[in-house]
Amino acid sequence: MHRAIYVLIWSLLLSMPVVALGKQERLKPKTIEHAKKATVTIRTNVSMKAYGFVIPDFKEGGCIVDGKQGIILTTRRVVQHASVSTYQVTFHNGEQAEAKLCYYDPWLDYAFLKVAPQAIPTSATALTLSAKDPLVNQPIFSISNNGGKSVSVHKGTISNIHNIIGSMPQHTVNVSFETKQEAVGVPILNYSGAIVGLNYAGSETFGVSLHPAYIQHALKAIRKGKRPTRKHIGIVTDMYSLSDAVKYRNFPKKQLKAYVKRFPTSMGSAIEVVHVLKGTPAHGKLLPGDIIWAANKQPVGPDLVMLDMAMSQDKYRCVCLTIFRHGQQLEVNIPLYNLEDHTIRRMVSFGGALFFEADDVFSDKTGIAAGKLTFSSAQTSGMLSRIPSFKRGGTLYFLLDILAVEGKALNNLDQLIQRIPELIKQRYFTLEYCTMLPMNDSLSPLFGQALM
């Protein structure tokens, strides 16, 4: 009887399908050690800033990506874009070096600092960017500097590869892992030690990381001593369910089925236009709710990075977008503009306020057109203190569309500079303005506040 049972069990085993078990990927100690020696702590000291709450002195993370040229990768938040700041880098062994701002992206949350190559310790290493896109459930790890107090290793997995978050829309990879604190500037690494994302926000249990293709695109130019080409049409985007589009926007159901088959990791969501920045080439050509299907005849699917890179090609002056609007497929040709043209490069201190020409980020949050003269901070004891504002410490924060001074339009910094001598002589002058209601955006520290 026992023999019969053994024979039966053996027969059942033979009839079961054979499953090939792949070798489980393991994180090697030497990979961790290599990453630790590439990790740095960046101390940022801010003297003045065009907009946003100013934290004068703070520490965040970064990593070496090119030891020969002294290039360090971090986030735009760490370098405090649109500011006058200084940077000190602390390497893995405690040695320190002064750094200079090399580049920050006008929209995306990454930046590069440079140190003198000879200032980098001989024991330090450099990280490379992965040539492969991140994958759902891919094991990852990070090295956190815990605000410069200690170094710790955190393991996790990639939970989502198609998301659009950030102070401006950017292709974001979601990561599930545990940290002691929000890990900003920390690279997300695969088990081979290559960068598959740059963490720019999150919490103690998850992170939101920038897709590495953006960084790879910029680093190639930086290594050649050039500024990266970054062009756009001026749209803010998000992910939208095509099932909802079928229900509410007359989207063709057959297109939904084809889309899901072609992009199985999309969860049935595509890129849609949320709103268009005032005064940009897309203004009047694209509408909120437009679903972006292809760029220059190439389907983009849920990959915002593909759309952004298509617009940033040197050879193109316009982009041809295939969109769905109210269920109809349309093609729209839209000129491109250089995002660098809207970067804040100058600030003028006058009357206790810091005047500047709005960039795209400020435009997105306030509705003030990029390039328009405005100011966002002033002293509490200054002449502008009666204008509705936010108050924090000894500083007032404003959201104003400046219309005129003494009845004359004032549109840019050059006009302001020309008129400052006569305004000083007058001592008192009238300022015409419109207060802009801020949008609620948790990733933009100035906004989401209540007007006083």
Side-chain angles (χ1 to χ4, degrees), residues 54-297:
V54 175
I55 304 174
D57 191 355
F58 64 97
K59 294 179 181 180
E60 295 286 7
C63 64
I64 303 169
V65 289
D66 192 317
K68 293 181 179 180
Q69 296 193 39
I71 302 173
I72 292 172
L73 171 67
T74 187
T75 66
R76 191 178 58 181
R77 165 177 152 177
V78 171
V79 303
Q80 291 291 292
H81 77 285
S83 73
V84 177
S85 303
T86 58
Y87 312 97
Q88 184 184 69
V89 174
T90 301
F91 299 99
H92 72 99
N93 63 354
E95 292 184 39
Q96 296 181 335
E98 297 300 316
K100 294 183 178 180
L101 179 61
C102 177
Y103 173 79
Y104 70 82
D105 191 277
W107 279 37
L108 309 173
D109 282 289
Y110 74 90
F112 293 105
L113 295 173
K114 267 194 175 185
V115 299
Q118 60 270 25
I120 299 177
T122 55
S123 57
T125 57
L127 297 176
T128 59
L129 286 121
S130 175
K132 298 180 180 179
D133 287 338
L135 300 172
V136 174
N137 295 325
Q138 180 179 7
I140 56 88
F141 77 102
S142 70
I143 305 293
S144 178
N145 63 3
N146 301 313
K149 298 177 182 178
S150 63
V151 176
S152 54
V153 180
H154 305 278
K155 297 180 182 179
T157 57
I158 293 176
S159 57
N160 188 346
I161 58 174
H162 301 300
N163 208 345
I164 299 177
I165 317 178
S167 55
M168 294 296 279
Q170 48 206 296
H171 191 133
T172 299
V173 177
N174 289 51
V175 179
S176 296
F177 69 150
E178 293 186 0
T179 61
K180 292 183 180 179
Q181 62 180 33
E182 182 183 351
V184 173
V186 171
I188 304 301
L189 308 171
N190 60 24
Y191 276 16
S192 297
I195 299 173
V196 292
L198 177 67
N199 216 59
Y200 65 85
S203 70
E204 294 182 354
T205 58
F206 74 93
V208 288
S209 299
L210 186 69
H211 195 287
Y214 291 121
I215 304 166
Q216 190 77 268
H217 168 78
L219 187 56
K220 288 180 181 178
I222 296 294
R223 281 175 168 154
K224 295 177 182 178
K226 300 179 180 179
R227 294 190 73 81
T229 301
R230 285 285 285 124
K231 293 183 285 189
H232 215 277
I233 55 176
I235 55 171
V236 173
T237 55
D238 203 348
M239 302 300 293
Y240 184 73
S241 167
L242 291 182
S243 293
D244 286 344
V246 171
K247 291 180 182 178
Y248 308 119
R249 301 185 184 177
N250 298 318
F251 187 80
K253 194 170 184 178
K254 64 178 182 179
Q255 291 284 9
L256 167 59
K257 292 183 178 180
Y259 183 88
V260 172
K261 186 176 181 179
R262 179 162 188 167
F263 302 104
T265 60
S266 67
M267 301 296 290
S269 293
I271 300 169
E272 75 157 345
V273 178
V274 176
H275 67 269
V276 180
L277 298 186
K278 187 177 180 180
T280 59
H283 194 234
K285 292 196 172 186
L286 292 179
L287 300 175
D290 286 346
I291 295 171
I292 299 177
W293 202 250
N296 299 327
K297 309 294 184 180

Side-chain angles (χ1 to χ4, degrees), residues 400-414:
L400 302 178
D401 186 359
I402 297 175
L403 304 177
V405 173
E406 289 292 286
K408 295 181 181 179
L410 200 59
N411 296 313
N412 54 55
L413 277 177
D414 289 332

Side-chain angles (χ1 to χ4, degrees), residues 275 277-278 280 358-371:
H275 67 269
L277 298 186
K278 187 177 180 180
T280 59
D359 62 4
D360 283 337
V361 178
F362 198 79
S363 174
D364 173 49
K365 308 307 174 190
T366 64
I368 299 171

